[in-house]
Amino acid sequence: MGLETEAAASGGAVHGHRLSTVVPSSVTEVESYGLADPDLAFRLHYLRGAYYYAAGEAVRGVTTKVLKDPMFPWLDAYYPVAGRVRRPADDQPQQQEEGGGASRRPYVKCNDCGVRIVEAQCDRSLDEWLRDDAVDRVAQLCYDKVLGPELFFSPLLYVQVTNFKCGAMALGFSWAHLIGDVASATTCFNNWAQILAGKKPDAITVNPVKEPQDRAPAAAAPPRSVRQVGPIEDYWLAPTGVDMACYSFHVTEPMLKRLQQQESAAATGAFELISALLWQTVAKIRVNKEVKTVTVVKNDMSARTGNSLANEQTVGYVETGSPPAKTDVSELAAMLAKNLVDETAAVAGFPGDVIIYGANLTFVDMEQVNLYGLEIKGQRPAHVEYGMAGVGEEGAVLVQPDSDGRGRVVTAVLPKDEVGSLRAALGCSLLQAP
């Protein structure tokens, strides 16, 4: 396991980054892990999850070595996570695509290169950190790397351990979306926590894809939910013309009830209601741009196949005929609940490179995802917030349960010059005191 040091980002409260690597405890017998079409559809996106633990007995004595030790058997089971992306080499036999061309379909070479561990320090206390909503918290606590331009050197997972000056700790995960959706990622992290606690982990089923699925013709139009980009070569991040930033805020249970009362939408789900409010608010900010079509990504735990690594979320779009800035929030919420056009199969089968999050303004439903199962010494995290990298300039909004499940944590990934306007607009409505 190697160790290196990297300079802190200019002006950031988090600094002193030290990098090392953890590999599986045994040599992987499986040589390659095939990626399904839904995996490749999400390959330009990256999940970022920050888990906060208050100072106290739970984190006392939890050194980086203590956190690393259970990773060796953990990666034995989740062996693709320790691999690296490859394309078939030009000098090796390649699978022939329809039409006679050689396939360049990416796969994961299970070469035991491991995951990267990042150690960092924060000059603030945890309370100070969480009170400052002007800080892009997720970006500083989750190591900012993507796949490429040298794919064979690019880890699929970074784990950042950040120690606050008060003794609190944050665990930040940077997860390449192509190896699994947010449900796969959180289950994977929770499994590591079980090993850390000395428990027998849940059963893990890894099923590499052996044959490519049927794809649409090369000339097919992209689904409404996505935007075609590229072609993207070996640097897996779609370029955007604007700087993007995360803004996270807490919708408490009283705030949510007040919103339901104001909009006469007590029967509407929290995800749809909060998404509708953000849809209307962003449309008001973008006075010179239509926001009539939004993409919706939903994670339905009851519909999963049982594969431990998979992209099984549904993808679709909702469209309104009237300007959303002038449409009641309750009406937009009803559209999100009832008018979703499911394009999951079309997105997976589209042959070109696409972005999904941010192709349109995108709403991500994380209501059913177990975000608080990563326990240390039996203690759940005090707070969890997820963000995303690789989001297109239309932006994305992630809605997840808070620690007690009655409120919601919302993270908006938007163009940086829109974040201040969003914060001000919400401060005059949703986030005002009752």
Side-chain angles (χ1 to χ4, degrees), residues 243-288:
D243 291 333
M244 306 295 288
C246 286
Y247 167 49
S248 296
F249 58 94
H250 185 197
V251 181
T252 64
E253 183 183 19
M255 291 175 185
L256 186 56
K257 288 182 177 179
R258 187 169 68 252
L259 180 61
Q260 292 170 332
Q261 293 168 356
Q262 289 172 348
E263 300 299 332
S264 301
T268 304
F271 167 72
E272 287 79 13
L273 191 55
I274 293 171
S275 298
L277 175 64
L278 270 291
W279 187 1
Q280 184 195 69
T281 304
V282 171
K284 289 178 179 178
I285 293 170
R286 298 177 183 173
V287 292
N288 296 319

mmCIF file of all heavy atoms in Angstrom, residues 243-288:
data_model
loop_
_atom_site.group_PDB
_atom_site.id
_atom_site.type_symbol
_atom_site.label_atom_id
_atom_site.label_comp_id
_atom_site.label_asym_id
_atom_site.label_seq_id
_atom_site.Cartn_x
_atom_site.Cartn_y
_atom_site.Cartn_z
ATOM 1 N N ASP A 243 -19.560 26.611 -14.513
ATOM 2 C CA ASP A 243 -19.127 25.957 -13.277
ATOM 3 C C ASP A 243 -20.356 25.525 -12.485
ATOM 4 O O ASP A 243 -21.306 26.302 -12.322
ATOM 5 C CB ASP A 243 -18.282 26.912 -12.435
ATOM 6 C CG ASP A 243 -16.939 27.215 -13.066
ATOM 7 O OD1 ASP A 243 -16.442 26.362 -13.826
ATOM 8 O OD2 ASP A 243 -16.397 28.305 -12.824
ATOM 9 N N MET A 244 -20.315 24.280 -11.977
ATOM 10 C CA MET A 244 -21.423 23.744 -11.201
ATOM 11 C C MET A 244 -21.050 23.716 -9.727
ATOM 12 O O MET A 244 -19.882 23.582 -9.369
ATOM 13 C CB MET A 244 -21.772 22.336 -11.676
ATOM 14 C CG MET A 244 -22.044 22.202 -13.162
ATOM 15 S SD MET A 244 -23.506 23.117 -13.710
ATOM 16 C CE MET A 244 -24.813 22.095 -12.999
ATOM 17 N N ALA A 245 -22.058 23.843 -8.851
ATOM 18 C CA ALA A 245 -21.833 23.821 -7.404
ATOM 19 C C ALA A 245 -22.982 23.107 -6.715
ATOM 20 O O ALA A 245 -24.119 23.090 -7.216
ATOM 21 C CB ALA A 245 -21.696 25.238 -6.856
ATOM 22 N N CYS A 246 -22.677 22.502 -5.549
ATOM 23 C CA CYS A 246 -23.689 21.843 -4.724
ATOM 24 C C CYS A 246 -24.188 22.802 -3.645
ATOM 25 O O CYS A 246 -23.401 23.503 -3.016
ATOM 26 C CB CYS A 246 -23.108 20.611 -4.032
ATOM 27 S SG CYS A 246 -22.836 19.188 -5.085
ATOM 28 N N TYR A 247 -25.494 22.805 -3.432
ATOM 29 C CA TYR A 247 -26.086 23.537 -2.321
ATOM 30 C C TYR A 247 -27.001 22.569 -1.588
ATOM 31 O O TYR A 247 -27.993 22.083 -2.145
ATOM 32 C CB TYR A 247 -26.866 24.753 -2.822
ATOM 33 C CG TYR A 247 -27.769 25.394 -1.801
ATOM 34 C CD1 TYR A 247 -27.307 25.710 -0.526
ATOM 35 C CD2 TYR A 247 -29.096 25.687 -2.102
ATOM 36 C CE1 TYR A 247 -28.129 26.290 0.416
ATOM 37 C CE2 TYR A 247 -29.937 26.279 -1.178
ATOM 38 C CZ TYR A 247 -29.456 26.588 0.083
ATOM 39 O OH TYR A 247 -30.281 27.157 1.018
ATOM 40 N N SER A 248 -26.669 22.256 -0.332
ATOM 41 C CA SER A 248 -27.453 21.309 0.460
ATOM 42 C C SER A 248 -28.224 22.042 1.545
ATOM 43 O O SER A 248 -27.703 22.985 2.156
ATOM 44 C CB SER A 248 -26.528 20.267 1.114
ATOM 45 O OG SER A 248 -25.877 19.492 0.150
ATOM 46 N N PHE A 249 -29.456 21.618 1.777
ATOM 47 C CA PHE A 249 -30.256 22.204 2.844
ATOM 48 C C PHE A 249 -31.199 21.147 3.415
ATOM 49 O O PHE A 249 -31.473 20.117 2.796
ATOM 50 C CB PHE A 249 -31.033 23.432 2.359
ATOM 51 C CG PHE A 249 -31.963 23.177 1.197
ATOM 52 C CD1 PHE A 249 -33.301 22.877 1.404
ATOM 53 C CD2 PHE A 249 -31.502 23.261 -0.114
ATOM 54 C CE1 PHE A 249 -34.160 22.652 0.345
ATOM 55 C CE2 PHE A 249 -32.358 23.038 -1.184
ATOM 56 C CZ PHE A 249 -33.690 22.740 -0.959
ATOM 57 N N HIS A 250 -31.675 21.436 4.621
ATOM 58 C CA HIS A 250 -32.507 20.492 5.366
ATOM 59 C C HIS A 250 -33.953 20.980 5.364
ATOM 60 O O HIS A 250 -34.243 22.107 5.782
ATOM 61 C CB HIS A 250 -31.986 20.398 6.808
ATOM 62 C CG HIS A 250 -32.688 19.367 7.629
ATOM 63 N ND1 HIS A 250 -32.636 19.345 9.020
ATOM 64 C CD2 HIS A 250 -33.460 18.290 7.283
ATOM 65 C CE1 HIS A 250 -33.341 18.323 9.467
ATOM 66 N NE2 HIS A 250 -33.848 17.678 8.433
ATOM 67 N N VAL A 251 -34.842 20.148 4.897
ATOM 68 C CA VAL A 251 -36.277 20.411 4.991
ATOM 69 C C VAL A 251 -36.779 19.645 6.215
ATOM 70 O O VAL A 251 -36.921 18.422 6.173
ATOM 71 C CB VAL A 251 -37.019 19.969 3.718
ATOM 72 C CG1 VAL A 251 -38.510 20.271 3.836
ATOM 73 C CG2 VAL A 251 -36.439 20.645 2.489
ATOM 74 N N THR A 252 -37.003 20.337 7.300
ATOM 75 C CA THR A 252 -37.430 19.680 8.532
ATOM 76 C C THR A 252 -38.880 19.205 8.408
ATOM 77 O O THR A 252 -39.611 19.610 7.491
ATOM 78 C CB THR A 252 -37.314 20.639 9.716
ATOM 79 O OG1 THR A 252 -38.216 21.737 9.515
ATOM 80 C CG2 THR A 252 -35.890 21.171 9.848
ATOM 81 N N GLU A 253 -39.285 18.370 9.350
ATOM 82 C CA GLU A 253 -40.673 17.882 9.338
ATOM 83 C C GLU A 253 -41.682 19.026 9.419
ATOM 84 O O GLU A 253 -42.657 19.042 8.638
ATOM 85 C CB GLU A 253 -40.880 16.888 10.478
ATOM 86 C CG GLU A 253 -42.284 16.282 10.500
ATOM 87 C CD GLU A 253 -42.489 15.355 11.676
ATOM 88 O OE1 GLU A 253 -41.716 15.449 12.660
ATOM 89 O OE2 GLU A 253 -43.440 14.544 11.636
ATOM 90 N N PRO A 254 -41.503 20.040 10.300
ATOM 91 C CA PRO A 254 -42.456 21.170 10.308
ATOM 92 C C PRO A 254 -42.487 21.923 8.984
ATOM 93 O O PRO A 254 -43.560 22.350 8.538
ATOM 94 C CB PRO A 254 -41.940 22.052 11.450
ATOM 95 C CG PRO A 254 -41.200 21.121 12.355
ATOM 96 C CD PRO A 254 -40.560 20.122 11.449
ATOM 97 N N MET A 255 -41.311 22.104 8.358
ATOM 98 C CA MET A 255 -41.284 22.771 7.053
ATOM 99 C C MET A 255 -42.072 21.988 6.020
ATOM 100 O O MET A 255 -42.841 22.549 5.227
ATOM 101 C CB MET A 255 -39.847 22.921 6.571
ATOM 102 C CG MET A 255 -38.988 23.888 7.338
ATOM 103 S SD MET A 255 -37.293 23.823 6.703
ATOM 104 C CE MET A 255 -36.454 24.928 7.854
ATOM 105 N N LEU A 256 -41.898 20.664 6.020
ATOM 106 C CA LEU A 256 -42.585 19.824 5.052
ATOM 107 C C LEU A 256 -44.093 19.860 5.265
ATOM 108 O O LEU A 256 -44.876 19.978 4.304
ATOM 109 C CB LEU A 256 -42.059 18.392 5.158
ATOM 110 C CG LEU A 256 -42.563 17.383 4.129
ATOM 111 C CD1 LEU A 256 -42.299 17.855 2.719
ATOM 112 C CD2 LEU A 256 -41.893 16.023 4.374
ATOM 113 N N LYS A 257 -44.528 19.810 6.521
ATOM 114 C CA LYS A 257 -45.963 19.879 6.807
ATOM 115 C C LYS A 257 -46.541 21.229 6.394
ATOM 116 O O LYS A 257 -47.656 21.307 5.864
ATOM 117 C CB LYS A 257 -46.208 19.627 8.288
ATOM 118 C CG LYS A 257 -45.996 18.173 8.711
ATOM 119 C CD LYS A 257 -46.314 17.974 10.186
ATOM 120 C CE LYS A 257 -46.173 16.509 10.577
ATOM 121 N NZ LYS A 257 -46.443 16.277 12.019
ATOM 122 N N ARG A 258 -45.763 22.297 6.635
ATOM 123 C CA ARG A 258 -46.251 23.619 6.256
ATOM 124 C C ARG A 258 -46.388 23.742 4.736
ATOM 125 O O ARG A 258 -47.353 24.309 4.227
ATOM 126 C CB ARG A 258 -45.293 24.690 6.794
ATOM 127 C CG ARG A 258 -45.816 26.115 6.591
ATOM 128 C CD ARG A 258 -44.983 27.145 7.359
ATOM 129 N NE ARG A 258 -43.636 27.277 6.825
ATOM 130 C CZ ARG A 258 -42.543 26.833 7.414
ATOM 131 N NH1 ARG A 258 -42.624 26.195 8.582
ATOM 132 N NH2 ARG A 258 -41.354 27.016 6.880
ATOM 133 N N LEU A 259 -45.433 23.167 4.009
ATOM 134 C CA LEU A 259 -45.505 23.182 2.550
ATOM 135 C C LEU A 259 -46.717 22.400 2.060
ATOM 136 O O LEU A 259 -47.435 22.839 1.137
ATOM 137 C CB LEU A 259 -44.221 22.595 1.961
ATOM 138 C CG LEU A 259 -44.126 22.535 0.434
ATOM 139 C CD1 LEU A 259 -44.216 23.926 -0.173
ATOM 140 C CD2 LEU A 259 -42.831 21.842 0.009
ATOM 141 N N GLN A 260 -46.987 21.262 2.686
ATOM 142 C CA GLN A 260 -48.158 20.475 2.307
ATOM 143 C C GLN A 260 -49.445 21.242 2.550
ATOM 144 O O GLN A 260 -50.379 21.206 1.737
ATOM 145 C CB GLN A 260 -48.168 19.154 3.088
ATOM 146 C CG GLN A 260 -47.054 18.203 2.695
ATOM 147 C CD GLN A 260 -46.926 17.023 3.636
ATOM 148 O OE1 GLN A 260 -47.269 17.108 4.817
ATOM 149 N NE2 GLN A 260 -46.421 15.904 3.131
ATOM 150 N N GLN A 261 -49.505 21.972 3.652
ATOM 151 C CA GLN A 261 -50.696 22.765 3.964
ATOM 152 C C GLN A 261 -50.857 23.943 3.006
ATOM 153 O O GLN A 261 -51.956 24.230 2.520
ATOM 154 C CB GLN A 261 -50.624 23.265 5.405
ATOM 155 C CG GLN A 261 -50.723 22.162 6.443
ATOM 156 C CD GLN A 261 -50.371 22.625 7.848
ATOM 157 O OE1 GLN A 261 -49.964 23.775 8.048
ATOM 158 N NE2 GLN A 261 -50.515 21.743 8.826
ATOM 159 N N GLN A 262 -49.747 24.615 2.710
ATOM 160 C CA GLN A 262 -49.796 25.761 1.812
ATOM 161 C C GLN A 262 -50.255 25.372 0.422
ATOM 162 O O GLN A 262 -50.990 26.116 -0.235
ATOM 163 C CB GLN A 262 -48.408 26.423 1.724
ATOM 164 C CG GLN A 262 -47.972 27.159 2.971
ATOM 165 C CD GLN A 262 -46.537 27.620 2.876
ATOM 166 O OE1 GLN A 262 -45.786 27.223 1.987
ATOM 167 N NE2 GLN A 262 -46.142 28.489 3.813
ATOM 168 N N GLU A 263 -49.829 24.201 -0.016
ATOM 169 C CA GLU A 263 -50.144 23.778 -1.374
ATOM 170 C C GLU A 263 -51.349 22.843 -1.436
ATOM 171 O O GLU A 263 -51.657 22.319 -2.515
ATOM 172 C CB GLU A 263 -48.918 23.081 -1.994
ATOM 173 C CG GLU A 263 -47.682 23.952 -2.071
ATOM 174 C CD GLU A 263 -47.909 25.185 -2.931
ATOM 175 O OE1 GLU A 263 -48.745 25.123 -3.853
ATOM 176 O OE2 GLU A 263 -47.239 26.213 -2.674
ATOM 177 N N SER A 264 -52.007 22.634 -0.292
ATOM 178 C CA SER A 264 -53.156 21.711 -0.244
ATOM 179 C C SER A 264 -52.784 20.373 -0.873
ATOM 180 O O SER A 264 -53.507 19.824 -1.711
ATOM 181 C CB SER A 264 -54.359 22.330 -0.968
ATOM 182 O OG SER A 264 -54.730 23.549 -0.374
ATOM 183 N N ALA A 265 -51.592 19.879 -0.456
ATOM 184 C CA ALA A 265 -51.048 18.676 -1.086
ATOM 185 C C ALA A 265 -50.631 17.658 -0.039
ATOM 186 O O ALA A 265 -49.579 17.037 -0.139
ATOM 187 C CB ALA A 265 -49.864 19.050 -1.971
ATOM 188 N N ALA A 266 -51.462 17.480 0.968
ATOM 189 C CA ALA A 266 -51.110 16.547 2.049
ATOM 190 C C ALA A 266 -50.950 15.118 1.545
ATOM 191 O O ALA A 266 -50.220 14.331 2.142
ATOM 192 C CB ALA A 266 -52.179 16.615 3.139
ATOM 193 N N ALA A 267 -51.646 14.787 0.459
ATOM 194 C CA ALA A 267 -51.591 13.416 -0.048
ATOM 195 C C ALA A 267 -50.438 13.202 -1.025
ATOM 196 O O ALA A 267 -50.198 12.084 -1.471
ATOM 197 C CB ALA A 267 -52.913 13.059 -0.737
ATOM 198 N N THR A 268 -49.714 14.278 -1.362
ATOM 199 C CA THR A 268 -48.612 14.176 -2.314
ATOM 200 C C THR A 268 -47.343 13.731 -1.602
ATOM 201 O O THR A 268 -47.054 14.181 -0.497
ATOM 202 C CB THR A 268 -48.369 15.530 -3.011
ATOM 203 O OG1 THR A 268 -49.581 15.958 -3.628
ATOM 204 C CG2 THR A 268 -47.289 15.406 -4.066
ATOM 205 N N GLY A 269 -46.578 12.864 -2.240
ATOM 206 C CA GLY A 269 -45.339 12.389 -1.638
ATOM 207 C C GLY A 269 -44.341 13.513 -1.437
ATOM 208 O O GLY A 269 -44.334 14.507 -2.186
ATOM 209 N N ALA A 270 -43.477 13.355 -0.446
ATOM 210 C CA ALA A 270 -42.492 14.401 -0.139
ATOM 211 C C ALA A 270 -41.559 14.633 -1.312
ATOM 212 O O ALA A 270 -41.213 15.787 -1.617
ATOM 213 C CB ALA A 270 -41.701 14.013 1.106
ATOM 214 N N PHE A 271 -41.157 13.576 -1.998
ATOM 215 C CA PHE A 271 -40.263 13.751 -3.138
ATOM 216 C C PHE A 271 -40.908 14.609 -4.219
ATOM 217 O O PHE A 271 -40.300 15.560 -4.732
ATOM 218 C CB PHE A 271 -39.859 12.394 -3.722
ATOM 219 C CG PHE A 271 -39.199 12.493 -5.073
ATOM 220 C CD1 PHE A 271 -37.913 12.986 -5.184
ATOM 221 C CD2 PHE A 271 -39.884 12.117 -6.235
ATOM 222 C CE1 PHE A 271 -37.301 13.099 -6.435
ATOM 223 C CE2 PHE A 271 -39.287 12.221 -7.478
ATOM 224 C CZ PHE A 271 -37.989 12.714 -7.583
ATOM 225 N N GLU A 272 -42.136 14.286 -4.579
ATOM 226 C CA GLU A 272 -42.806 15.045 -5.638
ATOM 227 C C GLU A 272 -43.040 16.493 -5.225
ATOM 228 O O GLU A 272 -42.870 17.423 -6.029
ATOM 229 C CB GLU A 272 -44.132 14.379 -6.002
ATOM 230 C CG GLU A 272 -44.012 13.079 -6.784
ATOM 231 C CD GLU A 272 -43.675 11.881 -5.913
ATOM 232 O OE1 GLU A 272 -43.782 12.003 -4.669
ATOM 233 O OE2 GLU A 272 -43.312 10.823 -6.450
ATOM 234 N N LEU A 273 -43.405 16.708 -3.973
ATOM 235 C CA LEU A 273 -43.715 18.065 -3.518
ATOM 236 C C LEU A 273 -42.463 18.937 -3.483
ATOM 237 O O LEU A 273 -42.468 20.079 -3.970
ATOM 238 C CB LEU A 273 -44.367 18.001 -2.142
ATOM 239 C CG LEU A 273 -44.991 19.289 -1.605
ATOM 240 C CD1 LEU A 273 -46.013 19.852 -2.577
ATOM 241 C CD2 LEU A 273 -45.628 19.044 -0.245
ATOM 242 N N ILE A 274 -41.380 18.414 -2.921
ATOM 243 C CA ILE A 274 -40.135 19.186 -2.868
ATOM 244 C C ILE A 274 -39.583 19.411 -4.275
ATOM 245 O O ILE A 274 -39.134 20.508 -4.622
ATOM 246 C CB ILE A 274 -39.113 18.470 -1.975
ATOM 247 C CG1 ILE A 274 -39.585 18.481 -0.522
ATOM 248 C CG2 ILE A 274 -37.734 19.121 -2.093
ATOM 249 C CD1 ILE A 274 -38.753 17.626 0.404
ATOM 250 N N SER A 275 -39.656 18.390 -5.116
ATOM 251 C CA SER A 275 -39.189 18.536 -6.494
ATOM 252 C C SER A 275 -40.006 19.587 -7.237
ATOM 253 O O SER A 275 -39.453 20.389 -8.006
ATOM 254 C CB SER A 275 -39.267 17.196 -7.226
ATOM 255 O OG SER A 275 -38.435 16.228 -6.624
ATOM 256 N N ALA A 276 -41.307 19.599 -7.013
ATOM 257 C CA ALA A 276 -42.158 20.589 -7.672
ATOM 258 C C ALA A 276 -41.794 22.002 -7.249
ATOM 259 O O ALA A 276 -41.749 22.934 -8.073
ATOM 260 C CB ALA A 276 -43.624 20.297 -7.343
ATOM 261 N N LEU A 277 -41.528 22.188 -5.956
ATOM 262 C CA LEU A 277 -41.129 23.514 -5.479
ATOM 263 C C LEU A 277 -39.814 23.952 -6.129
ATOM 264 O O LEU A 277 -39.679 25.106 -6.569
ATOM 265 C CB LEU A 277 -40.984 23.495 -3.965
ATOM 266 C CG LEU A 277 -40.463 24.796 -3.339
ATOM 267 C CD1 LEU A 277 -41.455 25.938 -3.559
ATOM 268 C CD2 LEU A 277 -40.174 24.607 -1.853
ATOM 269 N N LEU A 278 -38.857 23.026 -6.209
ATOM 270 C CA LEU A 278 -37.576 23.363 -6.845
ATOM 271 C C LEU A 278 -37.746 23.598 -8.342
ATOM 272 O O LEU A 278 -37.086 24.475 -8.920
ATOM 273 C CB LEU A 278 -36.569 22.247 -6.586
ATOM 274 C CG LEU A 278 -35.707 22.339 -5.338
ATOM 275 C CD1 LEU A 278 -34.699 23.475 -5.443
ATOM 276 C CD2 LEU A 278 -36.521 22.483 -4.072
ATOM 277 N N TRP A 279 -38.618 22.844 -8.982
ATOM 278 C CA TRP A 279 -38.898 23.037 -10.403
ATOM 279 C C TRP A 279 -39.430 24.446 -10.645
ATOM 280 O O TRP A 279 -38.940 25.172 -11.510
ATOM 281 C CB TRP A 279 -39.901 21.983 -10.848
ATOM 282 C CG TRP A 279 -40.197 21.928 -12.328
ATOM 283 C CD1 TRP A 279 -39.655 22.708 -13.315
ATOM 284 C CD2 TRP A 279 -41.088 21.020 -12.983
ATOM 285 N NE1 TRP A 279 -40.156 22.350 -14.540
ATOM 286 C CE2 TRP A 279 -41.036 21.319 -14.369
ATOM 287 C CE3 TRP A 279 -41.933 19.997 -12.533
ATOM 288 C CZ2 TRP A 279 -41.810 20.617 -15.305
ATOM 289 C CZ3 TRP A 279 -42.691 19.295 -13.457
ATOM 290 C CH2 TRP A 279 -42.637 19.605 -14.825
ATOM 291 N N GLN A 280 -40.410 24.833 -9.866
ATOM 292 C CA GLN A 280 -40.983 26.169 -10.015
ATOM 293 C C GLN A 280 -39.939 27.253 -9.724
ATOM 294 O O GLN A 280 -39.830 28.250 -10.451
ATOM 295 C CB GLN A 280 -42.176 26.340 -9.066
ATOM 296 C CG GLN A 280 -42.897 27.670 -9.209
ATOM 297 C CD GLN A 280 -43.813 27.940 -8.031
ATOM 298 O OE1 GLN A 280 -43.345 28.172 -6.923
ATOM 299 N NE2 GLN A 280 -45.122 27.886 -8.275
ATOM 300 N N THR A 281 -39.143 27.057 -8.668
ATOM 301 C CA THR A 281 -38.172 28.064 -8.266
ATOM 302 C C THR A 281 -37.083 28.240 -9.316
ATOM 303 O O THR A 281 -36.712 29.363 -9.670
ATOM 304 C CB THR A 281 -37.544 27.681 -6.910
ATOM 305 O OG1 THR A 281 -38.573 27.506 -5.940
ATOM 306 C CG2 THR A 281 -36.578 28.756 -6.434
ATOM 307 N N VAL A 282 -36.540 27.128 -9.838
ATOM 308 C CA VAL A 282 -35.506 27.213 -10.860
ATOM 309 C C VAL A 282 -36.069 27.851 -12.132
ATOM 310 O O VAL A 282 -35.393 28.656 -12.795
ATOM 311 C CB VAL A 282 -34.917 25.820 -11.150
ATOM 312 C CG1 VAL A 282 -34.001 25.851 -12.374
ATOM 313 C CG2 VAL A 282 -34.143 25.308 -9.939
ATOM 314 N N ALA A 283 -37.311 27.537 -12.468
ATOM 315 C CA ALA A 283 -37.928 28.145 -13.652
ATOM 316 C C ALA A 283 -38.044 29.662 -13.494
ATOM 317 O O ALA A 283 -37.878 30.415 -14.461
ATOM 318 C CB ALA A 283 -39.298 27.525 -13.899
ATOM 319 N N LYS A 284 -38.319 30.127 -12.288
ATOM 320 C CA LYS A 284 -38.390 31.570 -12.044
ATOM 321 C C LYS A 284 -37.013 32.219 -12.165
ATOM 322 O O LYS A 284 -36.896 33.363 -12.612
ATOM 323 C CB LYS A 284 -38.974 31.834 -10.656
ATOM 324 C CG LYS A 284 -40.455 31.520 -10.536
ATOM 325 C CD LYS A 284 -40.956 31.769 -9.112
ATOM 326 C CE LYS A 284 -42.446 31.488 -9.004
ATOM 327 N NZ LYS A 284 -42.939 31.674 -7.608
ATOM 328 N N ILE A 285 -35.982 31.503 -11.754
ATOM 329 C CA ILE A 285 -34.617 32.031 -11.854
ATOM 330 C C ILE A 285 -34.190 32.125 -13.313
ATOM 331 O O ILE A 285 -33.555 33.102 -13.727
ATOM 332 C CB ILE A 285 -33.642 31.140 -11.054
ATOM 333 C CG1 ILE A 285 -33.944 31.226 -9.554
ATOM 334 C CG2 ILE A 285 -32.191 31.511 -11.328
ATOM 335 C CD1 ILE A 285 -33.195 30.212 -8.710
ATOM 336 N N ARG A 286 -34.561 31.124 -14.101
ATOM 337 C CA ARG A 286 -34.161 31.079 -15.518
ATOM 338 C C ARG A 286 -35.216 31.767 -16.376
ATOM 339 O O ARG A 286 -35.957 31.126 -17.134
ATOM 340 C CB ARG A 286 -33.965 29.632 -15.962
ATOM 341 C CG ARG A 286 -32.864 28.921 -15.193
ATOM 342 C CD ARG A 286 -32.741 27.465 -15.587
ATOM 343 N NE ARG A 286 -31.718 26.803 -14.771
ATOM 344 C CZ ARG A 286 -31.478 25.491 -14.795
ATOM 345 N NH1 ARG A 286 -32.181 24.695 -15.598
ATOM 346 N NH2 ARG A 286 -30.535 24.974 -14.015
ATOM 347 N N VAL A 287 -35.262 33.063 -16.276
ATOM 348 C CA VAL A 287 -36.334 33.816 -16.928
ATOM 349 C C VAL A 287 -36.247 33.737 -18.450
ATOM 350 O O VAL A 287 -37.258 33.897 -19.143
ATOM 351 C CB VAL A 287 -36.309 35.288 -16.481
ATOM 352 C CG1 VAL A 287 -36.701 35.394 -15.019
ATOM 353 C CG2 VAL A 287 -34.927 35.906 -16.707
ATOM 354 N N ASN A 288 -35.061 33.473 -18.985
ATOM 355 C CA ASN A 288 -34.899 33.443 -20.442
ATOM 356 C C ASN A 288 -34.753 32.019 -20.982
ATOM 357 O O ASN A 288 -34.314 31.838 -22.120
ATOM 358 C CB ASN A 288 -33.671 34.270 -20.847
ATOM 359 C CG ASN A 288 -33.827 35.742 -20.504
ATOM 360 O OD1 ASN A 288 -34.907 36.313 -20.683
ATOM 361 N ND2 ASN A 288 -32.766 36.355 -20.002
#
